[in-house]
Amino acid sequence: MDAPLDELLAELDVELVDSSITDATFFGAFIEAPDGSRILSMPPGRSAFERDTAARMLLAERFGLDAPLVPAPLEVTRV
């Protein structure tokens, strides 16, 4: 989890794409497509810090990586 985000995404075989969702309460979504590809969809226009932090929280949650719990009021929802 300490690697630069680009390296972490490559290691986990995850593609980062811009989301069309611009709602201020949406930080991103991790999607596993039926073909097995993995996508991390995140809203554009956020600060580099916010984008990096949200990406790492979503990746840690999905892959069960050792990372701090998501702080309140944020929450990770599985659908």
Side-chain angles (χ1 to χ4, degrees):
M1 289 299 291
D2 293 336
L5 184 58
D6 288 345
E7 289 178 24
L8 186 58
L9 292 168
E11 183 177 322
L12 297 171
D13 194 25
V14 175
E15 179 185 3
L16 179 62
V17 299
D18 283 341
S19 172
S20 61
I21 301 171
T22 57
D23 185 306
T25 63
F26 176 74
F27 289 90
F30 182 89
I31 302 150
E32 284 191 82
D35 67 2
S37 61
R38 299 170 175 159
I39 299 167
L40 185 58
S41 177
M42 302 191 71
R46 303 287 173 94
S47 72
F49 174 78
E50 184 176 339
R51 192 170 173 104
D52 186 86
T53 302
R56 290 174 190 278
M57 287 189 304
L58 289 167
L59 292 170
E61 177 69 25
R62 167 55 187 92
F63 291 102
L65 303 174
D66 187 25
L69 296 175
V70 176
L74 299 176
E75 68 178 79
V76 175
T77 304
R78 293 179 184 262
V79 290

